[in-house]
Structure formats: structure tokens, C-alpha cells
Amino acid sequence: MEHLTTDLIAYLMDELAPAERQRVEAHLAGCADCRDQRDSFRTLLDGLRASVPPPPEVHWGQWRAELRGRLEARAPWRRWLLRPVPAMLVAGLAASLIAVVWLGQERETSRTADRAPVEEVVLGDQFDFLRQYSLLERLDFLEDIDVIDQLDRLAPHGEG
Amino acid sequence: MDPSDEVLCQRVAERDDVAFELLVSRYQQRAYRLAWSILRDADEARDVAQEVFIRLYKRAGSFGGRARFSTWFYRLVVNLSLDHQRRGRWWRRLVRDAGDDDDQPDLTTRLPAPTLDPIDTLEWERQTKRLWAAVDQLAPRQRAAVLLHVQEGLPTRDVAAALECSEATVRVHLHRALNALKKSLGKE
């Protein structure tokens, strides 16, 4: 016959469902060893509950003062940051970093923009003859190659 | 109406110092009592009890409210006490072997005297002293399970939450602990 183990603990702590409690009690009725075990455990638990030793006295006012001191001592760097001068220093440093990054980006953008007029001047120099034809000034010469090919057949005329 | 422990813990997470002071006043004795029961040293228990509240202050936001505050609190106390005990074990053993047990309280002098025959009273005191000395010799988690149940009055469900194990495991701890106590007291 298998003896009770953890079921006996649950039984002694009154934590069994009714059906399980009945099953355990039925077993106890027929098992002397388990009844002895139940009685021993019950005596021990009752004895422990009745004799819990109280701890030594504590001066709670002093204990709480120490606790407050330990709490304050644990986060000195956070509290330092919240003071006016360090907070301004950190804010100033952050603003300087942002300014450096922003100015750097602005300079990069202006360099890119300056490139376009130079390229246009170079291209324009290569097509110097186009300045003599007002018609061609209105064309997108990169797309209308056919007109350019037949430039020599066009006679210069007045504005119209 | 007094705010619940769970509400106070939420306020502590929002850095409400008044809520923190209230929680401390409600739980300071429990923390110290349980820490002392595990460590059996008043100075260490005072330190650990303070450390529990410091840890609570830092981690109040992680409480979550899924369980009762008290079980979460007991878990902090048990873990910090067992950690402390593990760290200092070799040192404590050395000091204890070298010196006397003045630091250990005489348990019987603190117990309320039962109204019994003096001879029975003496026998009862002797048995009680032996019983608690045997509890001190239990494996750490078995001892924690016994203390949480008999001293703090927690049911198995709450002991399991405090020890971060299953209810079945708690019953195994208690079964083994009671068998060990029975053997130690020669009741077999």
C-alpha cells in the first residue's frame, strides 16, 4: 500500500477539496503508519505555531532614519543632475552638440547646391552657337536632338 | 479609507514618498521578523530588512499587480535573506566556531510562560528549544517554507508565490522538513 506524502500535508493544512479529503480520510482509517505520521506532523506543526520566537527589539525610529539615509546615498548622480548648475551644463552641452550636427548638415547641403550653376556654365560654353538662335533658347535641347541636327537649315529671323 | 497595499505600491512607482512611508510602516516588522527567523542575527536582519525596502523602492514599477503585494513582498524578503545567508555562510561558521553563542537569543526566555505544572513547563521549554534548533538546521528552502507557513500564516498558494515554485513543491518541502524535524527530535 502506498503511503500518504504531500497529500497528508495538504490534509493537515486543510487545503483539500471535499472529495480528496474523503479519499485521504479513508486511507487513514486503514493505515496505522499514516495515522502515526499524521499525529507526529500535527504535533510538530502545532508546537511550532505555538512557540514562534519573537525577534530582538528594534528601535524603529533609528532604523527608519538609517533607511532614509541609505536611499538618499544610493542615487547621488541622479540628484546631482537635478541641481541648477549641473542641469544647465548638461543642457548647454546638448544644445552645442545639436548645433554642431545641424551646421554640419547645412554646409553639406550648400556644397551640393553650388555644383549645379558651375555645371550649367560648362555645358553652356560648349553650346555657344545656340545663343544666336532665340528659337533654340525655348527648346529642351537634351530631348529634341532632331531640331539640333537640322540647325544649319534654319535661317536667323527676327523675334516672333 | 486606507489605500490598499497594491495602490500604495503603484504610487511608490510614481515616486510618492508618502506612499512609501506608509508601506514601510505596514511591513517593516514583517520584513525584520522573517529575515531574523532565516538569519538568526539581529544586525543582519535589520540590514536585510532595509535592503528589502530599498529594492522595493527601486522596483515598485515592476510589481505589475498580478499577484497580491504581500506575496511579492515576502518573495523579496526570502530571496534577499537567503542570498545574504549564502554569502556569509563561511564567515559566520568561522565566527560561530571561534566564539560563543552570545549573539544567539535564548529562545526560551522570550516565550510566554504557559500556565502548566513547573516540571511540564521546563520540559515544554526544553522541547521547544530543541524544536527551533532543529528548524535552524533545515535546508534553506525547507526552512523558508516552514517559516512562511507557521510564522507568517501563509497558505500553500502564497508560500509557493513567495518561493517562486509550485504548490506541489511547497508540500514536498514541508513534508521533508517535518520528517527531518521528527528524526532530529527522535520521535521516530
PDB file of all heavy atoms in Angstrom, chain A residues 114-130:
ATOM      1  N   ASP A 114      25.905  74.463 -54.886  1.00  0.00           N
ATOM      2  CA  ASP A 114      26.842  75.264 -55.693  1.00  0.00           C
ATOM      3  C   ASP A 114      27.282  74.523 -56.945  1.00  0.00           C
ATOM      4  O   ASP A 114      27.728  75.145 -57.908  1.00  0.00           O
ATOM      5  CB  ASP A 114      28.076  75.617 -54.844  1.00  0.00           C
ATOM      6  CG  ASP A 114      27.751  76.695 -53.833  1.00  0.00           C
ATOM      7  OD1 ASP A 114      26.696  77.335 -54.009  1.00  0.00           O
ATOM      8  OD2 ASP A 114      28.521  76.888 -52.873  1.00  0.00           O
ATOM      9  N   ARG A 115      27.196  73.221 -56.896  1.00  0.00           N
ATOM     10  CA  ARG A 115      27.701  72.457 -58.040  1.00  0.00           C
ATOM     11  C   ARG A 115      26.874  72.721 -59.295  1.00  0.00           C
ATOM     12  O   ARG A 115      27.369  72.743 -60.405  1.00  0.00           O
ATOM     13  CB  ARG A 115      27.664  70.975 -57.692  1.00  0.00           C
ATOM     14  CG  ARG A 115      29.066  70.356 -57.693  1.00  0.00           C
ATOM     15  CD  ARG A 115      29.033  68.893 -57.373  1.00  0.00           C
ATOM     16  NE  ARG A 115      29.617  68.693 -56.024  1.00  0.00           N
ATOM     17  CZ  ARG A 115      29.070  67.933 -55.099  1.00  0.00           C
ATOM     18  NH1 ARG A 115      27.945  67.326 -55.306  1.00  0.00           N
ATOM     19  NH2 ARG A 115      29.646  67.791 -53.921  1.00  0.00           N
ATOM     20  N   ALA A 116      25.543  72.906 -59.134  1.00  0.00           N
ATOM     21  CA  ALA A 116      24.655  72.995 -60.314  1.00  0.00           C
ATOM     22  C   ALA A 116      25.003  74.175 -61.228  1.00  0.00           C
ATOM     23  O   ALA A 116      25.164  73.979 -62.435  1.00  0.00           O
ATOM     24  CB  ALA A 116      23.209  73.044 -59.849  1.00  0.00           C
ATOM     25  N   PRO A 117      25.134  75.429 -60.772  1.00  0.00           N
ATOM     26  CA  PRO A 117      25.434  76.562 -61.671  1.00  0.00           C
ATOM     27  C   PRO A 117      26.754  76.342 -62.415  1.00  0.00           C
ATOM     28  O   PRO A 117      26.869  76.698 -63.593  1.00  0.00           O
ATOM     29  CB  PRO A 117      25.533  77.756 -60.740  1.00  0.00           C
ATOM     30  CG  PRO A 117      24.751  77.368 -59.534  1.00  0.00           C
ATOM     31  CD  PRO A 117      24.910  75.899 -59.422  1.00  0.00           C
ATOM     32  N   VAL A 118      27.769  75.746 -61.793  1.00  0.00           N
ATOM     33  CA  VAL A 118      29.061  75.520 -62.459  1.00  0.00           C
ATOM     34  C   VAL A 118      28.868  74.587 -63.636  1.00  0.00           C
ATOM     35  O   VAL A 118      29.391  74.821 -64.740  1.00  0.00           O
ATOM     36  CB  VAL A 118      30.070  74.911 -61.447  1.00  0.00           C
ATOM     37  CG1 VAL A 118      31.305  74.421 -62.159  1.00  0.00           C
ATOM     38  CG2 VAL A 118      30.418  75.929 -60.386  1.00  0.00           C
ATOM     39  N   GLU A 119      28.089  73.497 -63.395  1.00  0.00           N
ATOM     40  CA  GLU A 119      27.879  72.522 -64.476  1.00  0.00           C
ATOM     41  C   GLU A 119      27.147  73.187 -65.647  1.00  0.00           C
ATOM     42  O   GLU A 119      27.440  72.917 -66.799  1.00  0.00           O
ATOM     43  CB  GLU A 119      27.087  71.320 -63.951  1.00  0.00           C
ATOM     44  CG  GLU A 119      27.950  70.406 -63.067  1.00  0.00           C
ATOM     45  CD  GLU A 119      27.108  69.405 -62.289  1.00  0.00           C
ATOM     46  OE1 GLU A 119      25.880  69.471 -62.352  1.00  0.00           O
ATOM     47  OE2 GLU A 119      27.707  68.553 -61.611  1.00  0.00           O
ATOM     48  N   GLU A 120      26.194  74.056 -65.279  1.00  0.00           N
ATOM     49  CA  GLU A 120      25.425  74.713 -66.341  1.00  0.00           C
ATOM     50  C   GLU A 120      26.330  75.622 -67.161  1.00  0.00           C
ATOM     51  O   GLU A 120      26.214  75.688 -68.387  1.00  0.00           O
ATOM     52  CB  GLU A 120      24.287  75.517 -65.729  1.00  0.00           C
ATOM     53  CG  GLU A 120      23.138  74.635 -65.249  1.00  0.00           C
ATOM     54  CD  GLU A 120      22.103  75.428 -64.458  1.00  0.00           C
ATOM     55  OE1 GLU A 120      22.189  76.671 -64.432  1.00  0.00           O
ATOM     56  OE2 GLU A 120      21.208  74.797 -63.879  1.00  0.00           O
ATOM     57  N   VAL A 121      27.234  76.326 -66.527  1.00  0.00           N
ATOM     58  CA  VAL A 121      28.150  77.230 -67.260  1.00  0.00           C
ATOM     59  C   VAL A 121      29.025  76.422 -68.206  1.00  0.00           C
ATOM     60  O   VAL A 121      29.236  76.808 -69.375  1.00  0.00           O
ATOM     61  CB  VAL A 121      29.021  78.016 -66.245  1.00  0.00           C
ATOM     62  CG1 VAL A 121      30.178  78.695 -66.952  1.00  0.00           C
ATOM     63  CG2 VAL A 121      28.162  79.021 -65.517  1.00  0.00           C
ATOM     64  N   VAL A 122      29.541  75.302 -67.734  1.00  0.00           N
ATOM     65  CA  VAL A 122      30.409  74.443 -68.565  1.00  0.00           C
ATOM     66  C   VAL A 122      29.628  73.970 -69.786  1.00  0.00           C
ATOM     67  O   VAL A 122      30.115  74.018 -70.923  1.00  0.00           O
ATOM     68  CB  VAL A 122      30.928  73.254 -67.738  1.00  0.00           C
ATOM     69  CG1 VAL A 122      31.558  72.206 -68.639  1.00  0.00           C
ATOM     70  CG2 VAL A 122      31.899  73.727 -66.687  1.00  0.00           C
ATOM     71  N   LEU A 123      28.409  73.498 -69.540  1.00  0.00           N
ATOM     72  CA  LEU A 123      27.602  72.987 -70.656  1.00  0.00           C
ATOM     73  C   LEU A 123      27.259  74.134 -71.612  1.00  0.00           C
ATOM     74  O   LEU A 123      27.293  73.971 -72.837  1.00  0.00           O
ATOM     75  CB  LEU A 123      26.321  72.355 -70.126  1.00  0.00           C
ATOM     76  CG  LEU A 123      26.492  70.952 -69.510  1.00  0.00           C
ATOM     77  CD1 LEU A 123      25.186  70.508 -68.865  1.00  0.00           C
ATOM     78  CD2 LEU A 123      26.930  69.956 -70.565  1.00  0.00           C
ATOM     79  N   GLY A 124      26.949  75.258 -71.034  1.00  0.00           N
ATOM     80  CA  GLY A 124      26.587  76.397 -71.866  1.00  0.00           C
ATOM     81  C   GLY A 124      27.732  76.827 -72.783  1.00  0.00           C
ATOM     82  O   GLY A 124      27.516  77.194 -73.945  1.00  0.00           O
ATOM     83  N   ASP A 125      28.964  76.765 -72.277  1.00  0.00           N
ATOM     84  CA  ASP A 125      30.131  77.130 -73.077  1.00  0.00           C
ATOM     85  C   ASP A 125      30.286  76.228 -74.293  1.00  0.00           C
ATOM     86  O   ASP A 125      30.751  76.651 -75.357  1.00  0.00           O
ATOM     87  CB  ASP A 125      31.402  77.028 -72.214  1.00  0.00           C
ATOM     88  CG  ASP A 125      31.529  78.257 -71.314  1.00  0.00           C
ATOM     89  OD1 ASP A 125      30.801  79.236 -71.572  1.00  0.00           O
ATOM     90  OD2 ASP A 125      32.337  78.226 -70.362  1.00  0.00           O
ATOM     91  N   GLN A 126      29.897  74.963 -74.107  1.00  0.00           N
ATOM     92  CA  GLN A 126      30.053  74.029 -75.217  1.00  0.00           C
ATOM     93  C   GLN A 126      29.009  74.256 -76.312  1.00  0.00           C
ATOM     94  O   GLN A 126      29.161  73.770 -77.432  1.00  0.00           O
ATOM     95  CB  GLN A 126      29.962  72.580 -74.713  1.00  0.00           C
ATOM     96  CG  GLN A 126      31.139  72.200 -73.832  1.00  0.00           C
ATOM     97  CD  GLN A 126      30.969  70.846 -73.184  1.00  0.00           C
ATOM     98  OE1 GLN A 126      29.992  70.160 -73.461  1.00  0.00           O
ATOM     99  NE2 GLN A 126      31.906  70.477 -72.324  1.00  0.00           N
ATOM    100  N   PHE A 127      27.929  74.928 -75.925  1.00  0.00           N
ATOM    101  CA  PHE A 127      26.896  75.191 -76.940  1.00  0.00           C
ATOM    102  C   PHE A 127      26.796  76.692 -77.204  1.00  0.00           C
ATOM    103  O   PHE A 127      25.695  77.245 -77.297  1.00  0.00           O
ATOM    104  CB  PHE A 127      25.552  74.640 -76.466  1.00  0.00           C
ATOM    105  CG  PHE A 127      25.530  73.133 -76.375  1.00  0.00           C
ATOM    106  CD1 PHE A 127      25.795  72.487 -75.173  1.00  0.00           C
ATOM    107  CD2 PHE A 127      25.290  72.362 -77.516  1.00  0.00           C
ATOM    108  CE1 PHE A 127      25.790  71.096 -75.091  1.00  0.00           C
ATOM    109  CE2 PHE A 127      25.299  70.977 -77.433  1.00  0.00           C
ATOM    110  CZ  PHE A 127      25.545  70.347 -76.229  1.00  0.00           C
ATOM    111  N   ASP A 128      27.920  77.355 -77.376  1.00  0.00           N
ATOM    112  CA  ASP A 128      27.958  78.804 -77.553  1.00  0.00           C
ATOM    113  C   ASP A 128      27.150  79.251 -78.774  1.00  0.00           C
ATOM    114  O   ASP A 128      26.507  80.288 -78.766  1.00  0.00           O
ATOM    115  CB  ASP A 128      29.412  79.252 -77.692  1.00  0.00           C
ATOM    116  CG  ASP A 128      29.499  80.761 -77.658  1.00  0.00           C
ATOM    117  OD1 ASP A 128      29.100  81.346 -76.637  1.00  0.00           O
ATOM    118  OD2 ASP A 128      29.918  81.338 -78.674  1.00  0.00           O
ATOM    119  N   PHE A 129      27.142  78.455 -79.807  1.00  0.00           N
ATOM    120  CA  PHE A 129      26.447  78.829 -81.048  1.00  0.00           C
ATOM    121  C   PHE A 129      24.945  78.928 -80.827  1.00  0.00           C
ATOM    122  O   PHE A 129      24.229  79.584 -81.577  1.00  0.00           O
ATOM    123  CB  PHE A 129      26.763  77.819 -82.156  1.00  0.00           C
ATOM    124  CG  PHE A 129      26.195  76.441 -81.882  1.00  0.00           C
ATOM    125  CD1 PHE A 129      24.943  76.074 -82.370  1.00  0.00           C
ATOM    126  CD2 PHE A 129      26.904  75.518 -81.100  1.00  0.00           C
ATOM    127  CE1 PHE A 129      24.431  74.807 -82.107  1.00  0.00           C
ATOM    128  CE2 PHE A 129      26.376  74.260 -80.839  1.00  0.00           C
ATOM    129  CZ  PHE A 129      25.146  73.902 -81.344  1.00  0.00           C
ATOM    130  N   LEU A 130      24.422  78.257 -79.796  1.00  0.00           N
ATOM    131  CA  LEU A 130      22.983  78.287 -79.539  1.00  0.00           C
ATOM    132  C   LEU A 130      22.504  79.679 -79.151  1.00  0.00           C
ATOM    133  O   LEU A 130      21.332  79.999 -79.319  1.00  0.00           O
ATOM    134  CB  LEU A 130      22.617  77.316 -78.419  1.00  0.00           C
ATOM    135  CG  LEU A 130      22.808  75.845 -78.766  1.00  0.00           C
ATOM    136  CD1 LEU A 130      22.491  74.994 -77.539  1.00  0.00           C
ATOM    137  CD2 LEU A 130      21.921  75.452 -79.930  1.00  0.00           C
TER     138      LEU A 130
END
